[in-house]
Amino acid sequence: MARYNGPVCRLCRREGTKLYLKGERCYTGKCAVDRRTYAPGQHGQGRKKVSEYGVQLREKQKLRRIYGILERPFSNYFDKAERQKGITGDNLLRLLERRFDNIVYRLGFARSRNEARQLVLHNHFTLNGKKANIASIQLRVGDVIQLKEKSKDSPIFQEILAALGQKTAPAWLELDVNTLSGRVLALPNREDIDTNVQEHLIVELYSR
């Protein structure tokens, strides 16, 4: 599966905001956005007038990078959102939120979406009691994910689980810290999604 392998802090600096791609590090003074508030590259500190198209493009890139989606799959998500009933922007966010790796992250079983993707690919979770290692699976209402028993003692999960009790799952998800499982209670509404993005700009971009 293709994915971005470059320095992720450059992505946050390019968008001019924290995308929380490095988990807990993004909340510390080591965050690159706090230390260097300008875009990366030779001309990053130069002032540039951004066109309407440029504003729309940056918003699309920001959303794409938050969820770690490459261009072609993101375009496919938009096409699917556009075909669904309702508001296209809300549909798009809902599709991205229902990804297997995102729900692992939302439940607190990973510190970032990138880490969640790796944990899913490495078979650390089951979906409805069955093996599932495809990060892009769209979960439905009633689906249950659970951390495998043999994974609980791994060093990475010892650290994650130690902080699990401090996490609060979104209203549309249910976390059971005793069984280390989570359930999809409902499909998320726009107000349930805290992603800082103006999705209408993305709709306008694809409508050009």
Side-chain angles (χ1 to χ4, degrees), residues 73-96 138 202-203:
F74 187 86
S75 179
N76 291 339
Y77 276 121
F78 183 86
D79 290 342
K80 186 174 181 179
E82 198 172 32
R83 291 194 301 268
Q84 292 177 341
K85 294 181 180 179
I87 302 172
T88 300
D90 291 357
N91 293 340
L92 175 60
L93 289 175
R94 192 176 294 114
L95 287 171
L96 295 174
Q138 290 278 297
I202 302 171
V203 177

mmCIF file with all atom_site columns, all heavy atoms in Angstrom, residues 73-96 138 202-203:
data_model
loop_
_atom_site.group_PDB
_atom_site.id
_atom_site.type_symbol
_atom_site.label_atom_id
_atom_site.label_alt_id
_atom_site.label_comp_id
_atom_site.label_asym_id
_atom_site.label_entity_id
_atom_site.label_seq_id
_atom_site.pdbx_PDB_ins_code
_atom_site.Cartn_x
_atom_site.Cartn_y
_atom_site.Cartn_z
_atom_site.occupancy
_atom_site.B_iso_or_equiv
_atom_site.pdbx_formal_charge
_atom_site.auth_seq_id
_atom_site.auth_comp_id
_atom_site.auth_asym_id
_atom_site.auth_atom_id
_atom_site.pdbx_PDB_model_num
ATOM 1   N N   . PRO A 1 73  ? -7.055  7.869  -3.718 1.00 0.00 ? 73  PRO A N   1
ATOM 2   C CA  . PRO A 1 73  ? -8.094  7.393  -2.803 1.00 0.00 ? 73  PRO A CA  1
ATOM 3   C C   . PRO A 1 73  ? -8.963  8.529  -2.261 1.00 0.00 ? 73  PRO A C   1
ATOM 4   O O   . PRO A 1 73  ? -10.172 8.356  -2.085 1.00 0.00 ? 73  PRO A O   1
ATOM 5   C CB  . PRO A 1 73  ? -7.291  6.734  -1.671 1.00 0.00 ? 73  PRO A CB  1
ATOM 6   C CG  . PRO A 1 73  ? -5.993  6.357  -2.288 1.00 0.00 ? 73  PRO A CG  1
ATOM 7   C CD  . PRO A 1 73  ? -5.711  7.433  -3.289 1.00 0.00 ? 73  PRO A CD  1
ATOM 8   N N   . PHE A 1 74  ? -8.351  9.703  -2.021 1.00 0.00 ? 74  PHE A N   1
ATOM 9   C CA  . PHE A 1 74  ? -9.125  10.829 -1.512 1.00 0.00 ? 74  PHE A CA  1
ATOM 10  C C   . PHE A 1 74  ? -10.170 11.257 -2.544 1.00 0.00 ? 74  PHE A C   1
ATOM 11  O O   . PHE A 1 74  ? -11.328 11.552 -2.201 1.00 0.00 ? 74  PHE A O   1
ATOM 12  C CB  . PHE A 1 74  ? -8.211  11.996 -1.176 1.00 0.00 ? 74  PHE A CB  1
ATOM 13  C CG  . PHE A 1 74  ? -8.911  13.136 -0.492 1.00 0.00 ? 74  PHE A CG  1
ATOM 14  C CD1 . PHE A 1 74  ? -9.080  13.143 0.888  1.00 0.00 ? 74  PHE A CD1 1
ATOM 15  C CD2 . PHE A 1 74  ? -9.415  14.198 -1.233 1.00 0.00 ? 74  PHE A CD2 1
ATOM 16  C CE1 . PHE A 1 74  ? -9.740  14.183 1.518  1.00 0.00 ? 74  PHE A CE1 1
ATOM 17  C CE2 . PHE A 1 74  ? -10.079 15.252 -0.605 1.00 0.00 ? 74  PHE A CE2 1
ATOM 18  C CZ  . PHE A 1 74  ? -10.242 15.240 0.776  1.00 0.00 ? 74  PHE A CZ  1
ATOM 19  N N   . SER A 1 75  ? -9.770  11.292 -3.805 1.00 0.00 ? 75  SER A N   1
ATOM 20  C CA  . SER A 1 75  ? -10.695 11.640 -4.875 1.00 0.00 ? 75  SER A CA  1
ATOM 21  C C   . SER A 1 75  ? -11.845 10.640 -4.945 1.00 0.00 ? 75  SER A C   1
ATOM 22  O O   . SER A 1 75  ? -12.999 11.008 -5.180 1.00 0.00 ? 75  SER A O   1
ATOM 23  C CB  . SER A 1 75  ? -9.953  11.694 -6.215 1.00 0.00 ? 75  SER A CB  1
ATOM 24  O OG  . SER A 1 75  ? -10.829 12.012 -7.270 1.00 0.00 ? 75  SER A OG  1
ATOM 25  N N   . ASN A 1 76  ? -11.529 9.367  -4.713 1.00 0.00 ? 76  ASN A N   1
ATOM 26  C CA  . ASN A 1 76  ? -12.570 8.334  -4.712 1.00 0.00 ? 76  ASN A CA  1
ATOM 27  C C   . ASN A 1 76  ? -13.550 8.537  -3.554 1.00 0.00 ? 76  ASN A C   1
ATOM 28  O O   . ASN A 1 76  ? -14.757 8.332  -3.702 1.00 0.00 ? 76  ASN A O   1
ATOM 29  C CB  . ASN A 1 76  ? -11.939 6.947  -4.620 1.00 0.00 ? 76  ASN A CB  1
ATOM 30  C CG  . ASN A 1 76  ? -11.174 6.567  -5.877 1.00 0.00 ? 76  ASN A CG  1
ATOM 31  O OD1 . ASN A 1 76  ? -11.406 7.121  -6.953 1.00 0.00 ? 76  ASN A OD1 1
ATOM 32  N ND2 . ASN A 1 76  ? -10.248 5.636  -5.750 1.00 0.00 ? 76  ASN A ND2 1
ATOM 33  N N   . TYR A 1 77  ? -13.010 8.937  -2.396 1.00 0.00 ? 77  TYR A N   1
ATOM 34  C CA  . TYR A 1 77  ? -13.878 9.228  -1.251 1.00 0.00 ? 77  TYR A CA  1
ATOM 35  C C   . TYR A 1 77  ? -14.835 10.374 -1.593 1.00 0.00 ? 77  TYR A C   1
ATOM 36  O O   . TYR A 1 77  ? -16.014 10.335 -1.258 1.00 0.00 ? 77  TYR A O   1
ATOM 37  C CB  . TYR A 1 77  ? -13.045 9.605  -0.026 1.00 0.00 ? 77  TYR A CB  1
ATOM 38  C CG  . TYR A 1 77  ? -12.528 8.434  0.765  1.00 0.00 ? 77  TYR A CG  1
ATOM 39  C CD1 . TYR A 1 77  ? -11.169 8.234  0.961  1.00 0.00 ? 77  TYR A CD1 1
ATOM 40  C CD2 . TYR A 1 77  ? -13.413 7.522  1.353  1.00 0.00 ? 77  TYR A CD2 1
ATOM 41  C CE1 . TYR A 1 77  ? -10.685 7.160  1.688  1.00 0.00 ? 77  TYR A CE1 1
ATOM 42  C CE2 . TYR A 1 77  ? -12.939 6.441  2.091  1.00 0.00 ? 77  TYR A CE2 1
ATOM 43  C CZ  . TYR A 1 77  ? -11.574 6.269  2.252  1.00 0.00 ? 77  TYR A CZ  1
ATOM 44  O OH  . TYR A 1 77  ? -11.113 5.193  2.976  1.00 0.00 ? 77  TYR A OH  1
ATOM 45  N N   . PHE A 1 78  ? -14.308 11.397 -2.264 1.00 0.00 ? 78  PHE A N   1
ATOM 46  C CA  . PHE A 1 78  ? -15.159 12.535 -2.608 1.00 0.00 ? 78  PHE A CA  1
ATOM 47  C C   . PHE A 1 78  ? -16.256 12.111 -3.590 1.00 0.00 ? 78  PHE A C   1
ATOM 48  O O   . PHE A 1 78  ? -17.417 12.516 -3.448 1.00 0.00 ? 78  PHE A O   1
ATOM 49  C CB  . PHE A 1 78  ? -14.342 13.673 -3.213 1.00 0.00 ? 78  PHE A CB  1
ATOM 50  C CG  . PHE A 1 78  ? -15.164 14.890 -3.512 1.00 0.00 ? 78  PHE A CG  1
ATOM 51  C CD1 . PHE A 1 78  ? -15.397 15.840 -2.526 1.00 0.00 ? 78  PHE A CD1 1
ATOM 52  C CD2 . PHE A 1 78  ? -15.729 15.074 -4.763 1.00 0.00 ? 78  PHE A CD2 1
ATOM 53  C CE1 . PHE A 1 78  ? -16.192 16.949 -2.784 1.00 0.00 ? 78  PHE A CE1 1
ATOM 54  C CE2 . PHE A 1 78  ? -16.527 16.176 -5.037 1.00 0.00 ? 78  PHE A CE2 1
ATOM 55  C CZ  . PHE A 1 78  ? -16.751 17.119 -4.039 1.00 0.00 ? 78  PHE A CZ  1
ATOM 56  N N   . ASP A 1 79  ? -15.894 11.314 -4.582 1.00 0.00 ? 79  ASP A N   1
ATOM 57  C CA  . ASP A 1 79  ? -16.892 10.839 -5.554 1.00 0.00 ? 79  ASP A CA  1
ATOM 58  C C   . ASP A 1 79  ? -18.004 10.067 -4.856 1.00 0.00 ? 79  ASP A C   1
ATOM 59  O O   . ASP A 1 79  ? -19.190 10.222 -5.180 1.00 0.00 ? 79  ASP A O   1
ATOM 60  C CB  . ASP A 1 79  ? -16.220 9.956  -6.608 1.00 0.00 ? 79  ASP A CB  1
ATOM 61  C CG  . ASP A 1 79  ? -15.313 10.739 -7.540 1.00 0.00 ? 79  ASP A CG  1
ATOM 62  O OD1 . ASP A 1 79  ? -15.458 11.979 -7.599 1.00 0.00 ? 79  ASP A OD1 1
ATOM 63  O OD2 . ASP A 1 79  ? -14.453 10.120 -8.186 1.00 0.00 ? 79  ASP A OD2 1
ATOM 64  N N   . LYS A 1 80  ? -17.620 9.232  -3.898 1.00 0.00 ? 80  LYS A N   1
ATOM 65  C CA  . LYS A 1 80  ? -18.610 8.450  -3.162 1.00 0.00 ? 80  LYS A CA  1
ATOM 66  C C   . LYS A 1 80  ? -19.485 9.360  -2.307 1.00 0.00 ? 80  LYS A C   1
ATOM 67  O O   . LYS A 1 80  ? -20.703 9.177  -2.236 1.00 0.00 ? 80  LYS A O   1
ATOM 68  C CB  . LYS A 1 80  ? -17.901 7.422  -2.272 1.00 0.00 ? 80  LYS A CB  1
ATOM 69  C CG  . LYS A 1 80  ? -18.849 6.462  -1.573 1.00 0.00 ? 80  LYS A CG  1
ATOM 70  C CD  . LYS A 1 80  ? -18.076 5.386  -0.821 1.00 0.00 ? 80  LYS A CD  1
ATOM 71  C CE  . LYS A 1 80  ? -19.028 4.406  -0.140 1.00 0.00 ? 80  LYS A CE  1
ATOM 72  N NZ  . LYS A 1 80  ? -18.290 3.329  0.578  1.00 0.00 ? 80  LYS A NZ  1
ATOM 73  N N   . ALA A 1 81  ? -18.864 10.360 -1.668 1.00 0.00 ? 81  ALA A N   1
ATOM 74  C CA  . ALA A 1 81  ? -19.621 11.301 -0.830 1.00 0.00 ? 81  ALA A CA  1
ATOM 75  C C   . ALA A 1 81  ? -20.613 12.097 -1.660 1.00 0.00 ? 81  ALA A C   1
ATOM 76  O O   . ALA A 1 81  ? -21.732 12.388 -1.213 1.00 0.00 ? 81  ALA A O   1
ATOM 77  C CB  . ALA A 1 81  ? -18.649 12.247 -0.112 1.00 0.00 ? 81  ALA A CB  1
ATOM 78  N N   . GLU A 1 82  ? -20.214 12.435 -2.883 1.00 0.00 ? 82  GLU A N   1
ATOM 79  C CA  . GLU A 1 82  ? -21.063 13.225 -3.762 1.00 0.00 ? 82  GLU A CA  1
ATOM 80  C C   . GLU A 1 82  ? -22.291 12.436 -4.219 1.00 0.00 ? 82  GLU A C   1
ATOM 81  O O   . GLU A 1 82  ? -23.368 13.007 -4.451 1.00 0.00 ? 82  GLU A O   1
ATOM 82  C CB  . GLU A 1 82  ? -20.249 13.692 -4.963 1.00 0.00 ? 82  GLU A CB  1
ATOM 83  C CG  . GLU A 1 82  ? -20.852 14.853 -5.724 1.00 0.00 ? 82  GLU A CG  1
ATOM 84  C CD  . GLU A 1 82  ? -19.902 15.396 -6.771 1.00 0.00 ? 82  GLU A CD  1
ATOM 85  O OE1 . GLU A 1 82  ? -19.104 14.613 -7.326 1.00 0.00 ? 82  GLU A OE1 1
ATOM 86  O OE2 . GLU A 1 82  ? -19.954 16.607 -7.028 1.00 0.00 ? 82  GLU A OE2 1
ATOM 87  N N   . ARG A 1 83  ? -22.140 11.126 -4.337 1.00 0.00 ? 83  ARG A N   1
ATOM 88  C CA  . ARG A 1 83  ? -23.251 10.273 -4.793 1.00 0.00 ? 83  ARG A CA  1
ATOM 89  C C   . ARG A 1 83  ? -24.249 9.989  -3.667 1.00 0.00 ? 83  ARG A C   1
ATOM 90  O O   . ARG A 1 83  ? -25.386 9.602  -3.937 1.00 0.00 ? 83  ARG A O   1
ATOM 91  C CB  . ARG A 1 83  ? -22.712 8.956  -5.358 1.00 0.00 ? 83  ARG A CB  1
ATOM 92  C CG  . ARG A 1 83  ? -21.955 9.098  -6.668 1.00 0.00 ? 83  ARG A CG  1
ATOM 93  C CD  . ARG A 1 83  ? -21.748 7.747  -7.323 1.00 0.00 ? 83  ARG A CD  1
ATOM 94  N NE  . ARG A 1 83  ? -21.007 6.832  -6.473 1.00 0.00 ? 83  ARG A NE  1
ATOM 95  C CZ  . ARG A 1 83  ? -19.679 6.693  -6.491 1.00 0.00 ? 83  ARG A CZ  1
ATOM 96  N NH1 . ARG A 1 83  ? -18.955 7.441  -7.324 1.00 0.00 ? 83  ARG A NH1 1
ATOM 97  N NH2 . ARG A 1 83  ? -19.076 5.835  -5.703 1.00 0.00 ? 83  ARG A NH2 1
ATOM 98  N N   . GLN A 1 84  ? -23.813 10.157 -2.431 1.00 0.00 ? 84  GLN A N   1
ATOM 99  C CA  . GLN A 1 84  ? -24.694 9.868  -1.304 1.00 0.00 ? 84  GLN A CA  1
ATOM 100 C C   . GLN A 1 84  ? -25.685 11.005 -1.075 1.00 0.00 ? 84  GLN A C   1
ATOM 101 O O   . GLN A 1 84  ? -25.443 12.143 -1.469 1.00 0.00 ? 84  GLN A O   1
ATOM 102 C CB  . GLN A 1 84  ? -23.858 9.649  -0.032 1.00 0.00 ? 84  GLN A CB  1
ATOM 103 C CG  . GLN A 1 84  ? -23.009 8.404  -0.044 1.00 0.00 ? 84  GLN A CG  1
ATOM 104 C CD  . GLN A 1 84  ? -22.157 8.269  1.207  1.00 0.00 ? 84  GLN A CD  1
ATOM 105 O OE1 . GLN A 1 84  ? -21.916 9.239  1.929  1.00 0.00 ? 84  GLN A OE1 1
ATOM 106 N NE2 . GLN A 1 84  ? -21.675 7.063  1.469  1.00 0.00 ? 84  GLN A NE2 1
ATOM 107 N N   . LYS A 1 85  ? -26.780 10.699 -0.411 1.00 0.00 ? 85  LYS A N   1
ATOM 108 C CA  . LYS A 1 85  ? -27.759 11.726 -0.068 1.00 0.00 ? 85  LYS A CA  1
ATOM 109 C C   . LYS A 1 85  ? -27.192 12.609 1.042  1.00 0.00 ? 85  LYS A C   1
ATOM 110 O O   . LYS A 1 85  ? -26.399 12.164 1.861  1.00 0.00 ? 85  LYS A O   1
ATOM 111 C CB  . LYS A 1 85  ? -29.065 11.076 0.405  1.00 0.00 ? 85  LYS A CB  1
ATOM 112 C CG  . LYS A 1 85  ? -29.794 10.281 -0.667 1.00 0.00 ? 85  LYS A CG  1
ATOM 113 C CD  . LYS A 1 85  ? -31.082 9.689  -0.120 1.00 0.00 ? 85  LYS A CD  1
ATOM 114 C CE  . LYS A 1 85  ? -31.815 8.904  -1.200 1.00 0.00 ? 85  LYS A CE  1
ATOM 115 N NZ  . LYS A 1 85  ? -33.080 8.301  -0.683 1.00 0.00 ? 85  LYS A NZ  1
ATOM 116 N N   . GLY A 1 86  ? -27.628 13.868 1.065  1.00 0.00 ? 86  GLY A N   1
ATOM 117 C CA  . GLY A 1 86  ? -27.186 14.768 2.118  1.00 0.00 ? 86  GLY A CA  1
ATOM 118 C C   . GLY A 1 86  ? -26.134 15.751 1.637  1.00 0.00 ? 86  GLY A C   1
ATOM 119 O O   . GLY A 1 86  ? -25.915 15.927 0.433  1.00 0.00 ? 86  GLY A O   1
ATOM 120 N N   . ILE A 1 87  ? -25.468 16.387 2.591  1.00 0.00 ? 87  ILE A N   1
ATOM 121 C CA  . ILE A 1 87  ? -24.457 17.400 2.302  1.00 0.00 ? 87  ILE A CA  1
ATOM 122 C C   . ILE A 1 87  ? -23.130 16.706 1.968  1.00 0.00 ? 87  ILE A C   1
ATOM 123 O O   . ILE A 1 87  ? -22.626 15.907 2.768  1.00 0.00 ? 87  ILE A O   1
ATOM 124 C CB  . ILE A 1 87  ? -24.279 18.341 3.506  1.00 0.00 ? 87  ILE A CB  1
ATOM 125 C CG1 . ILE A 1 87  ? -25.621 19.009 3.848  1.00 0.00 ? 87  ILE A CG1 1
ATOM 126 C CG2 . ILE A 1 87  ? -23.222 19.397 3.224  1.00 0.00 ? 87  ILE A CG2 1
ATOM 127 C CD1 . ILE A 1 87  ? -25.608 19.815 5.124  1.00 0.00 ? 87  ILE A CD1 1
ATOM 128 N N   . THR A 1 88  ? -22.575 17.020 0.820  1.00 0.00 ? 88  THR A N   1
ATOM 129 C CA  . THR A 1 88  ? -21.372 16.323 0.337  1.00 0.00 ? 88  THR A CA  1
ATOM 130 C C   . THR A 1 88  ? -20.207 16.452 1.319  1.00 0.00 ? 88  THR A C   1
ATOM 131 O O   . THR A 1 88  ? -19.514 15.471 1.592  1.00 0.00 ? 88  THR A O   1
ATOM 132 C CB  . THR A 1 88  ? -20.951 16.873 -1.037 1.00 0.00 ? 88  THR A CB  1
ATOM 133 O OG1 . THR A 1 88  ? -22.020 16.677 -1.966 1.00 0.00 ? 88  THR A OG1 1
ATOM 134 C CG2 . THR A 1 88  ? -19.718 16.158 -1.550 1.00 0.00 ? 88  THR A CG2 1
ATOM 135 N N   . GLY A 1 89  ? -19.977 17.644 1.855  1.00 0.00 ? 89  GLY A N   1
ATOM 136 C CA  . GLY A 1 89  ? -18.869 17.844 2.797  1.00 0.00 ? 89  GLY A CA  1
ATOM 137 C C   . GLY A 1 89  ? -19.010 16.998 4.044  1.00 0.00 ? 89  GLY A C   1
ATOM 138 O O   . GLY A 1 89  ? -18.040 16.387 4.513  1.00 0.00 ? 89  GLY A O   1
ATOM 139 N N   . ASP A 1 90  ? -20.229 16.930 4.587  1.00 0.00 ? 90  ASP A N   1
ATOM 140 C CA  . ASP A 1 90  ? -20.476 16.100 5.770  1.00 0.00 ? 90  ASP A CA  1
ATOM 141 C C   . ASP A 1 90  ? -20.289 14.624 5.433  1.00 0.00 ? 90  ASP A C   1
ATOM 142 O O   . ASP A 1 90  ? -19.740 13.858 6.233  1.00 0.00 ? 90  ASP A O   1
ATOM 143 C CB  . ASP A 1 90  ? -21.896 16.326 6.289  1.00 0.00 ? 90  ASP A CB  1
ATOM 144 C CG  . ASP A 1 90  ? -22.085 17.715 6.886  1.00 0.00 ? 90  ASP A CG  1
ATOM 145 O OD1 . ASP A 1 90  ? -21.098 18.475 6.937  1.00 0.00 ? 90  ASP A OD1 1
ATOM 146 O OD2 . ASP A 1 90  ? -23.219 18.035 7.289  1.00 0.00 ? 90  ASP A OD2 1
ATOM 147 N N   . ASN A 1 91  ? -20.759 14.229 4.258  1.00 0.00 ? 91  ASN A N   1
ATOM 148 C CA  . ASN A 1 91  ? -20.601 12.833 3.831  1.00 0.00 ? 91  ASN A CA  1
ATOM 149 C C   . ASN A 1 91  ? -19.135 12.448 3.728  1.00 0.00 ? 91  ASN A C   1
ATOM 150 O O   . ASN A 1 91  ? -18.728 11.343 4.114  1.00 0.00 ? 91  ASN A O   1
ATOM 151 C CB  . ASN A 1 91  ? -21.276 12.613 2.475  1.00 0.00 ? 91  ASN A CB  1
ATOM 152 C CG  . ASN A 1 91  ? -22.792 12.748 2.542  1.00 0.00 ? 91  ASN A CG  1
ATOM 153 O OD1 . ASN A 1 91  ? -23.386 12.651 3.615  1.00 0.00 ? 91  ASN A OD1 1
ATOM 154 N ND2 . ASN A 1 91  ? -23.415 12.967 1.401  1.00 0.00 ? 91  ASN A ND2 1
ATOM 155 N N   . LEU A 1 92  ? -18.318 13.370 3.210  1.00 0.00 ? 92  LEU A N   1
ATOM 156 C CA  . LEU A 1 92  ? -16.891 13.111 3.045  1.00 0.00 ? 92  LEU A CA  1
ATOM 157 C C   . LEU A 1 92  ? -16.221 12.891 4.398  1.00 0.00 ? 92  LEU A C   1
ATOM 158 O O   . LEU A 1 92  ? -15.475 11.921 4.589  1.00 0.00 ? 92  LEU A O   1
ATOM 159 C CB  . LEU A 1 92  ? -16.228 14.282 2.313  1.00 0.00 ? 92  LEU A CB  1
ATOM 160 C CG  . LEU A 1 92  ? -14.711 14.226 2.158  1.00 0.00 ? 92  LEU A CG  1
ATOM 161 C CD1 . LEU A 1 92  ? -14.302 12.987 1.361  1.00 0.00 ? 92  LEU A CD1 1
ATOM 162 C CD2 . LEU A 1 92  ? -14.198 15.493 1.483  1.00 0.00 ? 92  LEU A CD2 1
ATOM 163 N N   . LEU A 1 93  ? -16.498 13.773 5.346  1.00 0.00 ? 93  LEU A N   1
ATOM 164 C CA  . LEU A 1 93  ? -15.909 13.625 6.678  1.00 0.00 ? 93  LEU A CA  1
ATOM 165 C C   . LEU A 1 93  ? -16.376 12.345 7.350  1.00 0.00 ? 93  LEU A C   1
ATOM 166 O O   . LEU A 1 93  ? -15.598 11.669 8.030  1.00 0.00 ? 93  LEU A O   1
ATOM 167 C CB  . LEU A 1 93  ? -16.268 14.835 7.542  1.00 0.00 ? 93  LEU A CB  1
ATOM 168 C CG  . LEU A 1 93  ? -15.592 16.153 7.174  1.00 0.00 ? 93  LEU A CG  1
ATOM 169 C CD1 . LEU A 1 93  ? -16.123 17.291 8.035  1.00 0.00 ? 93  LEU A CD1 1
ATOM 170 C CD2 . LEU A 1 93  ? -14.075 16.052 7.329  1.00 0.00 ? 93  LEU A CD2 1
ATOM 171 N N   . ARG A 1 94  ? -17.629 12.000 7.142  1.00 0.00 ? 94  ARG A N   1
ATOM 172 C CA  . ARG A 1 94  ? -18.168 10.785 7.758  1.00 0.00 ? 94  ARG A CA  1
ATOM 173 C C   . ARG A 1 94  ? -17.480 9.542  7.199  1.00 0.00 ? 94  ARG A C   1
ATOM 174 O O   . ARG A 1 94  ? -17.171 8.599  7.949  1.00 0.00 ? 94  ARG A O   1
ATOM 175 C CB  . ARG A 1 94  ? -19.684 10.719 7.516  1.00 0.00 ? 94  ARG A CB  1
ATOM 176 C CG  . ARG A 1 94  ? -20.397 9.661  8.346  1.00 0.00 ? 94  ARG A CG  1
ATOM 177 C CD  . ARG A 1 94  ? -21.906 9.715  8.137  1.00 0.00 ? 94  ARG A CD  1
ATOM 178 N NE  . ARG A 1 94  ? -22.454 10.975 8.649  1.00 0.00 ? 94  ARG A NE  1
ATOM 179 C CZ  . ARG A 1 94  ? -23.009 11.908 7.875  1.00 0.00 ? 94  ARG A CZ  1
ATOM 180 N NH1 . ARG A 1 94  ? -23.100 11.729 6.562  1.00 0.00 ? 94  ARG A NH1 1
ATOM 181 N NH2 . ARG A 1 94  ? -23.497 13.004 8.407  1.00 0.00 ? 94  ARG A NH2 1
ATOM 182 N N   . LEU A 1 95  ? -17.213 9.522  5.910  1.00 0.00 ? 95  LEU A N   1
ATOM 183 C CA  . LEU A 1 95  ? -16.509 8.387  5.302  1.00 0.00 ? 95  LEU A CA  1
ATOM 184 C C   . LEU A 1 95  ? -15.100 8.251  5.859  1.00 0.00 ? 95  LEU A C   1
ATOM 185 O O   . LEU A 1 95  ? -14.629 7.139  6.140  1.00 0.00 ? 95  LEU A O   1
ATOM 186 C CB  . LEU A 1 95  ? -16.459 8.559  3.778  1.00 0.00 ? 95  LEU A CB  1
ATOM 187 C CG  . LEU A 1 95  ? -17.764 8.345  3.012  1.00 0.00 ? 95  LEU A CG  1
ATOM 188 C CD1 . LEU A 1 95  ? -17.606 8.777  1.557  1.00 0.00 ? 95  LEU A CD1 1
ATOM 189 C CD2 . LEU A 1 95  ? -18.209 6.885  3.087  1.00 0.00 ? 95  LEU A CD2 1
ATOM 190 N N   . LEU A 1 96  ? -14.415 9.366  6.030  1.00 0.00 ? 96  LEU A N   1
ATOM 191 C CA  . LEU A 1 96  ? -13.052 9.339  6.559  1.00 0.00 ? 96  LEU A CA  1
ATOM 192 C C   . LEU A 1 96  ? -13.034 8.908  8.026  1.00 0.00 ? 96  LEU A C   1
ATOM 193 O O   . LEU A 1 96  ? -12.148 8.167  8.451  1.00 0.00 ? 96  LEU A O   1
ATOM 194 C CB  . LEU A 1 96  ? -12.406 10.716 6.405  1.00 0.00 ? 96  LEU A CB  1
ATOM 195 C CG  . LEU A 1 96  ? -12.195 11.194 4.961  1.00 0.00 ? 96  LEU A CG  1
ATOM 196 C CD1 . LEU A 1 96  ? -11.694 12.631 4.945  1.00 0.00 ? 96  LEU A CD1 1
ATOM 197 C CD2 . LEU A 1 96  ? -11.220 10.281 4.221  1.00 0.00 ? 96  LEU A CD2 1
ATOM 198 N N   . GLN A 1 138 ? -14.504 0.324  5.985  1.00 0.00 ? 138 GLN A N   1
ATOM 199 C CA  . GLN A 1 138 ? -15.532 1.223  6.489  1.00 0.00 ? 138 GLN A CA  1
ATOM 200 C C   . GLN A 1 138 ? -16.366 0.496  7.546  1.00 0.00 ? 138 GLN A C   1
ATOM 201 O O   . GLN A 1 138 ? -17.060 -0.473 7.242  1.00 0.00 ? 138 GLN A O   1
ATOM 202 C CB  . GLN A 1 138 ? -16.437 1.694  5.354  1.00 0.00 ? 138 GLN A CB  1
ATOM 203 C CG  . GLN A 1 138 ? -15.764 2.641  4.378  1.00 0.00 ? 138 GLN A CG  1
ATOM 204 C CD  . GLN A 1 138 ? -15.758 4.069  4.904  1.00 0.00 ? 138 GLN A CD  1
ATOM 205 O OE1 . GLN A 1 138 ? -16.794 4.676  5.109  1.00 0.00 ? 138 GLN A OE1 1
ATOM 206 N NE2 . GLN A 1 138 ? -14.569 4.599  5.129  1.00 0.00 ? 138 GLN A NE2 1
ATOM 207 N N   . ILE A 1 202 ? -13.515 22.416 -0.019 1.00 0.00 ? 202 ILE A N   1
ATOM 208 C CA  . ILE A 1 202 ? -13.108 21.230 -0.771 1.00 0.00 ? 202 ILE A CA  1
ATOM 209 C C   . ILE A 1 202 ? -14.172 20.884 -1.817 1.00 0.00 ? 202 ILE A C   1
ATOM 210 O O   . ILE A 1 202 ? -13.858 20.521 -2.945 1.00 0.00 ? 202 ILE A O   1
ATOM 211 C CB  . ILE A 1 202 ? -12.868 20.045 0.185  1.00 0.00 ? 202 ILE A CB  1
ATOM 212 C CG1 . ILE A 1 202 ? -11.800 20.414 1.211  1.00 0.00 ? 202 ILE A CG1 1
ATOM 213 C CG2 . ILE A 1 202 ? -12.470 18.784 -0.578 1.00 0.00 ? 202 ILE A CG2 1
ATOM 214 C CD1 . ILE A 1 202 ? -11.634 19.408 2.331  1.00 0.00 ? 202 ILE A CD1 1
ATOM 215 N N   . VAL A 1 203 ? -15.423 21.023 -1.423 1.00 0.00 ? 203 VAL A N   1
ATOM 216 C CA  . VAL A 1 203 ? -16.523 20.789 -2.366 1.00 0.00 ? 203 VAL A CA  1
ATOM 217 C C   . VAL A 1 203 ? -16.447 21.782 -3.520 1.00 0.00 ? 203 VAL A C   1
ATOM 218 O O   . VAL A 1 203 ? -16.614 21.415 -4.690 1.00 0.00 ? 203 VAL A O   1
ATOM 219 C CB  . VAL A 1 203 ? -17.888 20.886 -1.644 1.00 0.00 ? 203 VAL A CB  1
ATOM 220 C CG1 . VAL A 1 203 ? -19.030 20.721 -2.650 1.00 0.00 ? 203 VAL A CG1 1
ATOM 221 C CG2 . VAL A 1 203 ? -17.997 19.842 -0.550 1.00 0.00 ? 203 VAL A CG2 1
#
